[in-house]
Amino acid sequence: MDKVTQNIDLVSGDVETKRADIRAYFVNTWALYESVFDTLASDEAFYERPQPLRHPLIFYFGHTATFFINKLMLAKLIDRRINPEFESLFAIGVDEMSWDDLDETHYDWPPVQAVRDYRDQVKDIVCRLIDTIDFTLPIDWDSPLWPVMMGIEHERIHLETSSVLIRQLDLEKVRPHAFFPACTAVGPAIENKLVAVDGGDVVLGKERDHRLYGWDNEYGHAEMDVPPFRASRYLVSNGEYLGFINAGGYEEDRYWDEEGLAWRNYHHATMPEFWRGEPGNYRLRLMTEEIPLPLNWPVEVCYLEAKAFCNWKSEQTGCHVRMPDEAEYRRLLQVAGLEAEHHESPISANWNLEHYASSVPVDTFAHGDFYDVVGNVWQWNETPIYPFDGFEVHPLYDDFTVPTFDNRHNLIKGGSWISTGNEIALHSRYAFRRHFYQHAGFRYVVSDKPVKTDFDVYETDELVSQYCEFHYGDACFGIPNFPKAIAQIALEAVEAKGKALDIGCSVGRTAFEIADVFEEVDALDFSARFVQVGARMQAKGRIRYERQEEGELVTFQERTLEGLGLTGDYSNIHFLQQDATNMKPIFSGYDLVIAANLIDRLNNPARFLKEIPNRMNLGGILLIASPYTWLEDFTPKCNWLGGFKKDGEPVTTLDGLHALLDDSFEMIREPQKVPFVIRETRHKHQHTLSEVTLWKKK
Amino acid sequence: MDKVTQNIDLVSGDVETKRADIRAYFVNTWALYESVFDTLASDEAFYERPQPLRHPLIFYFGHTATFFINKLMLAKLIDRRINPEFESLFAIGVDEMSWDDLDETHYDWPPVQAVRDYRDQVKDIVCRLIDTIDFTLPIDWDSPLWPVMMGIEHERIHLETSSVLIRQLDLEKVRPHAFFPACTAVGPAIENKLVAVDGGDVVLGKERDHRLYGWDNEYGHAEMDVPPFRASRYLVSNGEYLGFINAGGYEEDRYWDEEGLAWRNYHHATMPEFWRGEPGNYRLRLMTEEIPLPLNWPVEVCYLEAKAFCNWKSEQTGCHVRMPDEAEYRRLLQVAGLEAEHHESPISANWNLEHYASSVPVDTFAHGDFYDVVGNVWQWNETPIYPFDGFEVHPLYDDFTVPTFDNRHNLIKGGSWISTGNEIALHSRYAFRRHFYQHAGFRYVVSDKPVKTDFDVYETDELVSQYCEFHYGDACFGIPNFPKAIAQIALEAVEAKGKALDIGCSVGRTAFEIADVFEEVDALDFSARFVQVGARMQAKGRIRYERQEEGELVTFQERTLEGLGLTGDYSNIHFLQQDATNMKPIFSGYDLVIAANLIDRLNNPARFLKEIPNRMNLGGILLIASPYTWLEDFTPKCNWLGGFKKDGEPVTTLDGLHALLDDSFEMIREPQKVPFVIRETRHKHQHTLSEVTLWKKK
C-alpha cells in the first residue's frame, strides 16, 4: 500500500485509465483507513469510547463502509443493502451526541471480525461497481462516479478524525505501528516573529468544472480585497503557548470570550487536550506514545484556547492579535507561492503522510518567509464557514455542510500530517465547532481589520420560508409572481411618485418592484422576522432558506435580486417593523399605499382603513388586495369588514370597504381577482384569489 | 282600500298595465297592513309584548318597511338607506328570540309617529321605484320587480302574523274595528265523520315560469302516488276537541309524543292558546274581542296538540288517525276540485278577508264532500317542509326557507280568514315550528301509510361540505374532477372486474365512477359522516350542502348523480363505515383496491399496506394516490412511510411504499402526479398534487 497518494484529476484523460486510477485510489484509501485501526492494542480497544460523548471506535470502523452503501443506494447505483442492521448501526453518530443517545444499552456492537467481514463485502461491491460502471469524462456532480469519490473522500476525512480519537484513547489501548512513526526531532522553543504581508486581492471558491473532487461548500465565488497585515512566521509552538499558560492564561477570565469561558469552566481546562502532566513536567500525547512536551512543535488547541492566547498576546503587545480570516489565510498562501494544487506542483510540507505520524518542529518546512503555511497541524481561522455566492447543496449529501452554516463552526486550514486527498486541496473548507479538537493549532496575525463572523444562516422557520418562496421562489401552476403582479397594478394606477408605502410587506418583494419608480419606499410589517428577510435581501442581494419538500425533508434554496432581474439600487427602501393599526406619525405623505393580503390578518382592519387616508396625498392611490379570508384567529368577528349577515342581510367585504372608504376615496376600477400560490410542500399548495381594489384619495 | 285582493299575473299582459297593477297591489298591501294596527287601543299598545319571547308590535310595524329597504339595497335598486338606525332596529327579530335578545334595555323603540313617518317615506320610495323602473315581462327571479313583489308578499305574511300577535295582546289593549268584523254565527258542535278519498297521483312543486310570485321553496318537482285514505269531512271543531280535553287529553302523557310532552310540561298547557276560562265555561279570544267558546268553529291549536288529539282518536277508534301529509292534502284539493289558483277560478271559502275577521262554523264552506279544504283556519300537515327536486335559493332572501329545512318545521296548508296573496296560492308552502300558534287547526285522516318526516337536511359541517364540493361540485382552475380521474386511471389498469374496494372513499364519487364496470364495489371510510353522504347520494341521487363563500356567508348547493352524467344503477355499491387498518375479514377478494388520499391520514399506514395484499386477487390492482402530506396530527412520526431521514439518508414515501409492497406487488407504471383542488371559500383553495402509483398483485 502506498501511504502517499495524489488527488485524482476527474476531467482529463481517458475513461479506462480513470477507472483504474479511481479503483487504486479507493483500494488505497480503504487499506489506509484500516491501517489506522492497527494501532489499537486489541479488539477490546474497539469498544472503548475515547471521548465520553462519542461512539466507540468500532462505530467508526464500520461507518465509512456503511457510508458507501448508503450513498450508492441513494444514488440508485446499487439496489440492495449488504447488512441492513449494520447499515443502521453504523450510519449516524459521527458528531458529539447527547448522553442519552450514547447509552450503551441502546447499542449492541458486533464483533470486530464481523465488521471486518462486512468491510470486505462492501469493498468488493465498490470495486465491482468501479470496474463495471458506465461513465464518461469529465466526472462531475451528476456522474455515477461522484458518489464513489464522495465515499473515498469521506473515508479520508475519517482517516484523520479516527487518528484524533485514537490519540484520545488510554495509552495502554494502543500500540506503536511502523506505518505511523512519530518525529523525534525535539528541541527548545523557537522565538516567533511577525512578518509583514502586503495587501492584495483574493478570489475564493472554485468553479463547477474544477478538475478535483470537491465538497459542496467549496463551489461558488467570493472576492476580497485583503488589507496589509502581519502574520507570525511560525505556527504557535508549545513553547510559545507555555508563556500564555505561565502568565495564568487559563485562570484569567479576561482572556476568554463568553463562549470560551463557558467551555473552560465546564471542562476545568488548564492546558491543551493532548498535554499530560503538570506545570514543569508537561508531556505530549501522540498517536501511540507519550513524549516530553516538545517545545518547538506546534501547539494543538481548540479555537477557544487559541483565541484566549491571542487576547493575551494583544494585551501583551498592545496590538490587535487574532487568527487570520479565510481571505487572509488565502493571501498567506499567495505570498508563500502556494496558491496551487499539491498534485500539480508538489509542496514540501508535513502532510499527506509524507513524513511523520506526528507534528514536526515549527521551523522545519519553510514556505517563503513563513513556515508551515500548509501542513504540520491545521490552523484555526477566525471565519465561521459560510456559503459562497452560488452555493448549492449536493443532493446525495445535503447535510454535509448546511448544518454547519450556523456561525458556530470555524474554518481550519492547511491540513495536518495525516491530511490527504481533498483535505489538502487548495479549495478545501473544513470547519468544526470552536471547542473541537483536531490535530489543529494556529498562527496569529496582527491587523486592525474587523473580521466578519456573523453570516446569514438559512431561514428555517416554516412560515417565513414559505413566504421567501412565495415572494422570490419558483412559479407554481404557471401563476405569475403575486407581489410583482401587485406592484405592476399599482404602478399602472399611480400618478405622483414621491413616497410609497408597502404595509404588510412580508418579505418585501413588492417593495423592490416599485423602488425604481418611487423616490422613497417604506416597507413595513408587523412581523420582524418577515421584515428582516426583506432587509437582508436589500443588504446582501441574496436570501437563503430551507424549503419543505416532503415530510421533514427539505431542500436548500438561494435567491438573489439579480437572478430575479432586480438590478436597481434599492437604498430608498426602508424595511421596518410596524403595526399597521398603530403606525408612527412619520409614516405619511404617500402617493401610493399597498396593502396586499393584509386586512383579513389585522385585529382591527377598520382602524387601519379609517386612518390611512390621513397618511396619503391628494390623488394618491390605495391598493387593497385580499382574499377576504376572515378568521377569528386573526380578527374578532365583530371587527370583520364583511362575510357576515348584518340585520339579516349579507354584507360582503367589498360592501364593508365601500362603507369605510367612500368618504375619502373614489374606487377607480372594478375589483380584479389576482391569483397567488403559497407552496407548502412539493405537492401541497394554497391557491388563492386576492381581490384587488384601487382607491384614489379625494 | 280594497280589502279583497287578487294575486298578480307576472307573465302576461303589457308593461304599463302591470306597473299599475303592481303599484295598486303594493299600496293596497301597505294600507291593509297598517289597518291591522288600527285595532290597537292606543300607541302604548305598540310597546306591549304579546308573547314573552317576541318583540313588541312596534317592531313589526316598522319591520315590513325596513324589509323593502334592505332588499332593494341588496338588489342595488336603491343606493342609500332612509334611516340606518331604524333599518337596523327593525331588521331582525321576527322569530322567537332568547330572553337575552329581548332585554328591553337593549332596545330604544322610537315613537309610533316616527315609525309612521318612516313608513310614509319608504312607501314613497317604493312607489317611485315602481313608477319609474325599467322592466320587461315576464317578471321572473331576475326581474327588478321581483324584490318589490317579495316585499309585498312579505308584508302580507306579516299582515297575518301580526293579527295573531294582536290576538295575544290583553283585551284592553285592542279595540274593535269595522274593518275586522267577527263572525257571529255560533252554534252547537257538529259531529264529524270520515269520508273516503280514492288514491291518486299528485304532482307538487311549480315551474320556474309560473305566472304567480313564489317563495323559493315552492319551485321544483315532486311526484307521489297517494294511496286511498279517509279524511274528516270537517276541520276539527272546538266541540270535537273538547271531547279530547274532557277525556283528560292534556293530563294523559300517553297521547303526547316526546316533543309534545316537553312542550305541554314546560307551558303547563291545559287548553288551546286562544281559549280562556275553565272547564264548563270556556271562552274564545278573537282578534279584538272574547266570546263564549263557539263549539262549531274550528279549534286552533299547535301541531303538538293536534297530534295528541289524533293519538287519542286512534286509541278511541283503533285506527291510525293522524293529520294528512303534504301529498294527501293535495289529493284532498284534487277531489274537492280546488287544484287551481284562486284568482283564476275563485273559490268560495273563509279566506282572503272575503268574509270575516274570524273563523266561521266548520260547516259553512263546502268543497265537494268536504268543508274548509281551504280557508277558515290553516291545517297542520304531518310533513315537515323539505326542498323539492330542483330547489334553489333566491339570492336576495337566502334565509327565508333553508333554515326551516330541519325536520322541525311542519307545513300548514289552506290558509285562514286573513290569508291573502301568495298565502292562498295553490303552491304555497308555509311551515312553522310545531309548537307555534297561528290561526291554525287541523283535519284528521285515517291511513296506514307511514308518513315521511325525516328529510335530508343541508350538510353544514364545514369539512364534509368541502368534500361534497370536492367530489361533486364545480371544477376550480380548470382542474379535472379528481375522484373521477382516479377512477379512470384505475379502470385503465384493471383486468378482472369482480369486486372493487374504494378504501377511504370519503363522500363516494370514485365508487360511482367505477360501479358500472365492477360487479360489486365496497366503499369504506373511517368517517361515518362522509360515508353517509355517499349513501345518501346512492339512495336519493342527490345531495345538498352549504358551501362557504366569504366569512360566514354561504350558498346552498345541490348536486345530483344525473347532473354529473352518472345514470347507472349503483345498487352494487356498499357504503360502510370501516377502519382501513382494521377491516373485517369479509372485505377481501378484490380485483381493484383504490386508496386515494388515504395513507397520510392513517395512524399506521404500514399496517394497512401489509394487510391489503391478503385481501386481493392475483393480478389485482392496488392504486395508491397520495400527496404524502405527513402530519403528526394524523400519523405519529414513527409511522410515517417516508419524508424523513433514516440513518442519515433521506427516505421518500415512494421508497417506503416500495419497501412495504415490493414483496407482494409489481409496480406497473411510473408514478404520476394528479392534481386536485379543495375549495375552502370562493377565494381560497388547497391545490395539491397526489402521486398515483399502481401495484399489481404477484
Side-chain angles (χ1 to χ4, degrees):
Chain A
M1 163 182 56
D2 273 341
K3 207 156 73 171
V4 177
T5 45
Q6 288 296 343
N7 280 332
I8 309 268
D9 176 342
L10 301 175
V11 172
S12 57
D14 70 280
V15 164
E16 290 314 318
T17 311
K18 202 59 56 182
R19 191 193 299 280
D21 288 351
I22 290 173
R23 192 186 207 281
Y25 190 58
F26 165 69
V27 170
N28 177 277
T29 305
W30 200 262
L32 211 48
Y33 188 63
E34 292 183 349
S35 72
V36 172
F37 293 85
D38 291 342
T39 63
L40 297 180
S42 66
D43 278 5
E44 194 192 313
F46 277 88
Y47 303 92
E48 292 289 318
R49 287 202 305 218
Q51 283 268 49
L53 291 181
R54 303 193 69 164
H55 276 316
L57 283 156
I58 190 76
F59 166 83
Y60 296 92
F61 192 51
H63 172 67
T64 57
T66 283
F67 182 91
F68 269 103
I69 297 303
N70 283 342
K71 294 305 176 195
L72 297 178
M73 287 286 291
L74 194 60
K76 302 194 189 306
L77 294 170
I78 60 175
D79 63 1
R80 80 185 53 183
R81 303 198 156 278
I82 311 308
N83 185 330
E85 191 193 328
F86 279 20
E87 283 146 17
S88 177
L89 196 62
F90 294 135
I92 295 194
V94 169
D95 288 331
E96 286 183 358
M97 301 167 82
S98 77
W99 63 267
D100 192 40
D101 295 327
L102 280 165
D103 184 340
E104 279 299 311
T105 61
H106 295 175
Y107 296 96
D108 188 13
W109 299 110
V112 174
Q113 190 54 49
V115 182
R116 285 194 193 284
D117 293 345
Y118 170 70
R119 287 187 60 87
D120 289 347
Q121 285 180 282
V122 173
K123 182 183 172 188
D124 285 351
I125 281 167
V126 177
C127 283
R128 205 174 327 137
L129 184 76
I130 298 171
D131 289 345
T132 58
I133 202 156
D134 208 27
F135 72 96
T136 55
L137 293 176
I139 294 165
D140 58 17
W141 272 30
D142 301 322
S143 167
L145 279 180
W146 197 266
V148 173
M149 289 303 300
M150 183 180 278
I152 296 171
E153 292 298 345
H154 171 262
E155 190 160 48
R156 284 185 176 267
I157 295 172
H158 278 283
L159 171 66
E160 172 144 9
T161 57
S162 293
S163 78
V164 176
L165 290 172
I166 286 167
R167 221 178 146 186
Q168 292 172 310
L169 277 180
D170 289 342
L171 251 193
E172 69 269 23
K173 303 291 181 190
V174 295
R175 60 181 177 198
H177 192 284
F179 211 80
F180 296 102
C183 173
T184 54
V186 168
I190 293 155
E191 196 179 353
N192 213 342
K193 62 182 266 195
L194 290 164
V195 177
V197 180
D198 290 339
D201 294 336
V202 302
V203 178
L204 304 177
K206 75 184 194 189
E207 304 292 325
R208 298 257 155 225
D209 58 0
H210 192 277
R211 59 183 58 206
L212 297 191
Y213 175 85
W215 299 106
D216 53 6
N217 57 49
E218 301 171 26
Y219 296 92
H221 191 80
E223 283 188 42
M224 283 95 165
D225 178 15
V226 181
F229 62 98
R230 289 179 293 160
S232 64
R233 180 182 298 267
Y234 307 110
L235 293 177
V236 174
S237 67
N238 288 317
E240 189 172 10
Y241 193 78
L242 202 52
F244 167 65
I245 292 183
N246 291 339
Y250 279 81
E251 284 84 47
E252 289 295 339
D253 287 359
R254 70 180 185 280
Y255 300 136
W256 301 80
D257 62 17
E258 190 182 343
E259 185 183 349
L261 208 55
W263 171 83
R264 188 207 65 182
N265 292 344
Y266 183 80
H267 289 280
H268 307 292
T270 58
M271 58 183 176
E273 166 80 1
F274 298 118
W275 287 22
R276 299 288 180 270
E278 57 285 312
N281 188 26
Y282 289 116
R283 297 173 64 76
L284 182 66
R285 168 59 188 270
L286 309 183
M287 197 171 158
T288 61
E289 62 192 298
E290 222 175 80
I291 60 172
L293 185 69
L295 296 178
N296 58 345
W297 288 17
V299 71
E300 290 153 306
V301 289
C302 70
Y303 168 88
L304 301 172
E305 291 168 301
K307 189 71 189 170
F309 174 93
C310 290
N311 290 340
W312 167 75
K313 198 82 182 170
S314 296
E315 189 181 273
Q316 295 286 306
T317 61
C319 299
H320 286 113
V321 179
R322 57 168 171 78
M323 287 158 274
D325 67 13
E326 189 176 23
E328 287 162 342
Y329 177 77
R330 173 60 71 97
R331 182 73 189 131
L332 278 175
L333 288 175
Q334 284 179 349
V335 300
L338 302 183
E339 202 178 30
E341 295 293 352
H342 179 47
H343 77 293
E344 288 169 344
S345 139
I347 296 161
S348 186
N350 182 29
W351 66 355
N352 202 28
L353 288 170
E354 289 173 15
H355 300 277
Y356 294 102
S358 75
S359 299
V360 298
V362 296
D363 57 353
T364 311
F365 291 97
H367 301 128
D369 291 339
F370 296 93
Y371 285 77
D372 295 332
V373 175
V374 298
N376 218 0
V377 295
W378 292 91
Q379 307 170 39
W380 284 105
N381 276 199
E382 293 283 3
T383 307
I385 191 168
Y386 66 94
F388 289 141
D389 286 358
F391 169 77
E392 283 178 32
V393 174
H394 196 285
L396 289 181
Y397 201 176
D398 65 0
D399 54 0
F400 180 78
T401 302
V402 169
T404 71
F405 290 152
D406 62 357
N407 293 321
R408 306 172 67 86
H409 287 73
N410 273 40
L411 289 162
I412 57 174
K413 291 286 182 178
S416 77
W417 51 268
I418 198 173
S419 299
T420 64
N422 173 271
E423 291 180 295
I424 61 168
L426 172 66
H427 292 93
S428 76
R429 302 178 82 212
Y430 291 89
F432 286 101
R433 288 189 190 278
R434 289 187 279 265
H435 66 268
F436 216 67
Y437 274 95
Q438 289 294 300
H439 310 303
F442 65 111
R443 167 191 314 279
Y444 53 86
V445 302
V446 172
S447 168
D448 290 336
K449 190 188 81 161
V451 172
K452 182 169 168 60
T453 57
D454 183 24
F455 295 89
D456 294 336
V457 301
Y458 274 75
E459 179 61 57
T460 58
D461 178 276
E462 198 173 304
L463 191 66
V464 178
S465 295
Q466 276 176 13
Y467 276 80
C468 289
E469 179 73 12
F470 174 28
H471 279 220
Y472 301 106
D474 303 336
C476 297
F477 308 125
I479 301 298
N481 183 280
F482 177 79
K484 185 175 175 180
I486 291 298
Q488 285 164 342
I489 293 170
L491 293 180
E492 283 163 21
V494 287
E495 289 161 14
K497 289 160 185 172
K499 275 178 76 180
L501 169 66
D502 182 7
I503 176 70
C505 67
S506 180
V507 296
R509 174 70 181 267
T510 303
F512 290 104
E513 296 287 346
I514 63 174
D516 280 349
V517 172
F518 277 83
E519 289 170 26
E520 300 292 332
V521 177
D522 292 336
L524 314 181
D525 201 279
F526 188 73
S527 162
R529 295 183 307 155
F530 282 80
V531 164
Q532 278 162 7
V533 174
R536 200 182 309 145
M537 187 58 117
Q538 180 184 30
K540 316 285 176 59
R542 181 184 57 227
I543 55 165
R544 296 193 176 94
Y545 54 95
E546 287 187 10
R547 193 173 74 180
Q548 198 186 352
E549 300 295 341
E550 181 181 322
E552 295 182 325
L553 300 177
V554 298
T555 55
F556 300 95
Q557 302 294 322
E558 174 182 287
R559 294 292 184 278
T560 62
L561 287 179
E562 201 178 355
L564 298 167
L566 289 162
T567 55
D569 170 40
Y570 307 125
S571 60
N572 59 335
I573 306 178
H574 314 288
F575 283 106
L576 290 161
Q577 193 278 337
Q578 197 77 194
D579 179 350
T581 52
N582 191 24
M583 283 188 274
K584 289 183 184 156
I586 193 179
F587 297 107
S588 60
Y590 294 111
D591 298 310
L592 170 65
V593 173
I594 295 178
N597 295 350
L598 173 74
I599 56 169
D600 56 5
R601 289 299 168 266
L602 297 177
N603 179 285
N604 192 342
R607 183 187 299 170
F608 165 71
L609 292 171
K610 279 182 206 150
E611 202 196 46
I612 201 70
N614 307 327
R615 299 176 182 277
M616 295 178 63
N617 298 335
L618 220 76
I621 297 294
L622 168 64
L623 182 156
I624 296 172
S626 172
Y628 310 145
T629 311
W630 299 105
L631 293 170
E632 289 197 275
D633 288 348
F634 298 100
T635 317
K637 205 169 282 179
C638 57
N639 287 350
W640 292 10
L641 299 185
F644 52 78
K645 292 208 172 185
K646 179 167 183 290
D647 299 335
E649 304 302 333
V651 177
T652 66
T653 307
L654 190 59
D655 295 334
L657 289 175
H658 275 294
L660 282 163
L661 298 177
D662 281 350
D663 281 350
S664 306
F665 295 92
E666 177 197 357
M667 195 174 95
I668 60 168
R669 217 176 63 183
E670 279 305 293
Q672 173 188 6
K673 292 185 205 288
V674 179
F676 67 87
V677 178
I678 295 179
R679 182 190 186 283
E680 296 182 2
T681 71
R682 77 191 166 98
H683 286 152
K684 188 166 188 299
H685 313 73
Q686 300 166 33
H687 191 157
T688 309
L689 303 172
S690 194
E691 188 162 280
V692 174
T693 49
L694 290 166
W695 309 79
K696 185 169 186 170
K697 173 83 184 293
K698 293 196 282 209
Chain B
M1 163 181 55
D2 271 342
K3 206 156 71 168
V4 177
T5 45
Q6 288 297 344
N7 280 332
I8 309 268
D9 176 344
L10 301 175
V11 172
S12 57
D14 69 279
V15 163
E16 292 313 319
T17 311
K18 202 59 58 182
R19 191 192 300 279
D21 288 351
I22 291 174
R23 191 186 207 282
Y25 190 58
F26 164 69
V27 170
N28 178 276
T29 305
W30 200 261
L32 212 47
Y33 188 62
E34 292 182 350
S35 72
V36 170
F37 293 85
D38 290 341
T39 63
L40 297 179
S42 66
D43 278 5
E44 194 192 314
F46 277 88
Y47 303 91
E48 293 289 317
R49 287 200 307 218
Q51 282 270 47
L53 292 182
R54 304 192 72 164
H55 275 316
L57 283 157
I58 189 73
F59 166 83
Y60 296 92
F61 192 51
H63 172 67
T64 57
T66 282
F67 182 90
F68 268 102
I69 297 303
N70 283 341
K71 294 307 175 193
L72 295 178
M73 287 288 289
L74 195 59
K76 301 195 190 306
L77 293 171
I78 59 175
D79 62 2
R80 81 185 52 184
R81 301 198 158 277
I82 310 309
N83 185 331
E85 191 193 328
F86 278 20
E87 282 144 19
S88 177
L89 195 62
F90 294 134
I92 295 193
V94 170
D95 287 332
E96 286 183 358
M97 301 167 83
S98 77
W99 62 266
D100 194 39
D101 295 327
L102 281 165
D103 185 339
E104 280 300 311
T105 62
H106 296 176
Y107 296 97
D108 188 14
W109 298 112
V112 174
Q113 189 54 48
V115 182
R116 284 196 194 280
D117 293 345
Y118 170 68
R119 286 186 60 88
D120 287 347
Q121 285 180 283
V122 173
K123 181 182 172 187
D124 284 351
I125 282 167
V126 177
C127 281
R128 205 173 328 139
L129 183 77
I130 297 172
D131 289 345
T132 58
I133 203 157
D134 207 26
F135 72 96
T136 55
L137 293 177
I139 294 165
D140 59 15
W141 271 30
D142 301 322
S143 167
L145 279 180
W146 196 265
V148 172
M149 289 304 299
M150 183 179 277
I152 296 171
E153 292 299 344
H154 171 262
E155 190 161 48
R156 284 186 175 267
I157 293 172
H158 278 284
L159 170 67
E160 171 144 10
T161 57
S162 293
S163 78
V164 175
L165 289 171
I166 287 169
R167 221 178 144 185
Q168 290 171 314
L169 277 181
D170 290 341
L171 251 193
E172 69 268 25
K173 305 288 182 192
V174 295
R175 62 180 176 198
H177 191 286
F179 212 78
F180 295 102
C183 173
T184 52
V186 168
I190 292 154
E191 197 179 352
N192 214 341
K193 62 182 268 193
L194 291 164
V195 178
V197 180
D198 289 342
D201 294 336
V202 301
V203 179
L204 304 177
K206 76 184 192 189
E207 302 294 325
R208 298 255 155 227
D209 59 1
H210 192 278
R211 61 183 58 204
L212 296 192
Y213 175 85
W215 298 107
D216 54 4
N217 58 49
E218 300 172 26
Y219 297 92
H221 191 81
E223 282 187 43
M224 282 96 165
D225 178 15
V226 181
F229 62 99
R230 289 179 293 161
S232 63
R233 180 181 298 267
Y234 306 111
L235 294 176
V236 174
S237 66
N238 288 317
E240 189 171 12
Y241 193 77
L242 202 53
F244 165 65
I245 292 183
N246 290 339
Y250 278 81
E251 283 85 47
E252 289 295 339
D253 287 359
R254 71 180 184 280
Y255 299 136
W256 300 80
D257 62 17
E258 193 182 339
E259 186 183 347
L261 207 54
W263 171 84
R264 186 207 66 181
N265 292 344
Y266 183 79
H267 288 280
H268 308 292
T270 58
M271 59 182 174
E273 166 79 2
F274 297 118
W275 287 21
R276 300 286 180 271
E278 57 284 313
N281 187 24
Y282 288 117
R283 298 172 63 75
L284 182 67
R285 167 60 188 268
L286 308 183
M287 198 171 156
T288 61
E289 61 192 300
E290 223 175 80
I291 60 172
L293 185 68
L295 296 178
N296 59 343
W297 290 16
V299 70
E300 289 152 307
V301 289
C302 72
Y303 168 88
L304 301 171
E305 292 167 301
K307 189 71 189 171
F309 173 94
C310 290
N311 291 340
W312 168 73
K313 197 85 183 169
S314 296
E315 189 182 274
Q316 294 286 308
T317 60
C319 300
H320 285 113
V321 178
R322 56 170 171 77
M323 287 158 273
D325 66 14
E326 189 176 21
E328 286 162 343
Y329 178 77
R330 173 59 71 97
R331 182 73 189 131
L332 276 175
L333 287 176
Q334 286 179 346
V335 300
L338 304 183
E339 202 178 30
E341 296 293 352
H342 178 47
H343 76 292
E344 289 170 345
S345 135
I347 297 161
S348 186
N350 182 28
W351 65 358
N352 202 27
L353 289 170
E354 289 174 14
H355 299 278
Y356 293 103
S358 75
S359 300
V360 299
V362 296
D363 58 353
T364 310
F365 290 98
H367 300 127
D369 290 339
F370 295 93
Y371 284 78
D372 295 331
V373 175
V374 298
N376 216 0
V377 295
W378 292 90
Q379 306 172 39
W380 285 103
N381 275 200
E382 293 283 3
T383 305
I385 191 168
Y386 67 95
F388 289 141
D389 286 1
F391 170 77
E392 282 178 34
V393 174
H394 196 284
L396 290 181
Y397 201 176
D398 66 359
D399 54 359
F400 180 78
T401 302
V402 168
T404 70
F405 290 153
D406 62 357
N407 293 320
R408 305 172 68 86
H409 287 72
N410 273 42
L411 289 163
I412 56 174
K413 292 284 181 178
S416 77
W417 51 269
I418 197 173
S419 299
T420 64
N422 173 272
E423 291 180 295
I424 60 168
L426 173 66
H427 292 94
S428 76
R429 300 178 84 212
Y430 291 89
F432 285 102
R433 287 188 191 278
R434 290 186 278 266
H435 66 267
F436 217 68
Y437 274 94
Q438 289 293 302
H439 309 303
F442 66 111
R443 167 190 316 279
Y444 52 86
V445 302
V446 173
S447 169
D448 290 336
K449 190 189 81 161
V451 171
K452 183 168 170 57
T453 57
D454 184 23
F455 293 89
D456 294 336
V457 300
Y458 273 73
E459 180 62 57
T460 57
D461 178 276
E462 197 172 305
L463 191 67
V464 177
S465 294
Q466 277 175 12
Y467 276 78
C468 288
E469 180 71 13
F470 176 27
H471 278 220
Y472 302 106
D474 303 335
C476 297
F477 308 125
I479 303 298
N481 184 279
F482 177 80
K484 184 176 176 180
I486 291 297
Q488 284 164 342
I489 294 170
L491 293 180
E492 282 163 22
V494 288
E495 289 160 15
K497 290 161 185 170
K499 273 178 77 177
L501 170 65
D502 182 7
I503 177 71
C505 67
S506 180
V507 295
R509 174 70 180 267
T510 303
F512 289 105
E513 296 286 346
I514 63 174
D516 279 349
V517 173
F518 278 83
E519 289 170 25
E520 300 292 333
V521 177
D522 293 336
L524 315 180
D525 201 280
F526 188 73
S527 161
R529 294 183 306 154
F530 282 79
V531 163
Q532 277 163 6
V533 174
R536 200 181 310 145
M537 187 58 117
Q538 180 183 30
K540 316 284 176 58
R542 181 185 58 226
I543 56 165
R544 296 194 176 94
Y545 53 96
E546 287 187 7
R547 193 173 76 180
Q548 198 187 350
E549 300 295 341
E550 180 182 322
E552 295 183 325
L553 299 177
V554 299
T555 54
F556 299 95
Q557 303 293 321
E558 174 181 286
R559 294 292 185 278
T560 62
L561 287 179
E562 201 177 356
L564 298 166
L566 290 162
T567 54
D569 170 39
Y570 306 125
S571 60
N572 59 335
I573 306 178
H574 314 289
F575 283 106
L576 290 161
Q577 193 279 336
Q578 198 77 192
D579 179 351
T581 53
N582 193 25
M583 283 186 275
K584 290 183 185 158
I586 193 180
F587 297 107
S588 60
Y590 294 111
D591 298 311
L592 170 65
V593 172
I594 295 178
N597 297 350
L598 173 74
I599 57 169
D600 57 4
R601 290 298 169 267
L602 296 178
N603 180 285
N604 192 342
R607 183 187 299 171
F608 165 70
L609 292 170
K610 281 181 204 150
E611 202 196 46
I612 201 68
N614 306 327
R615 299 176 182 276
M616 295 177 62
N617 298 335
L618 221 75
I621 297 294
L622 168 63
L623 181 156
I624 296 173
S626 173
Y628 310 147
T629 311
W630 298 106
L631 293 170
E632 289 196 276
D633 287 348
F634 298 100
T635 316
K637 205 169 282 179
C638 58
N639 288 349
W640 292 8
L641 299 184
F644 51 78
K645 291 208 172 189
K646 181 169 180 289
D647 299 336
E649 304 302 333
V651 178
T652 65
T653 307
L654 190 59
D655 295 335
L657 289 175
H658 275 292
L660 282 163
L661 297 177
D662 280 350
D663 283 349
S664 307
F665 294 92
E666 177 197 355
M667 195 175 93
I668 59 167
R669 217 176 62 180
E670 281 304 295
Q672 175 188 3
K673 292 185 205 289
V674 179
F676 67 87
V677 178
I678 295 178
R679 181 191 186 285
E680 296 182 2
T681 71
R682 76 192 167 98
H683 287 153
K684 189 165 188 298
H685 313 73
Q686 299 167 32
H687 191 158
T688 310
L689 303 171
S690 194
E691 187 161 280
V692 175
T693 50
L694 289 165
W695 309 80
K696 186 171 186 170
K697 172 82 185 292
K698 292 196 284 210

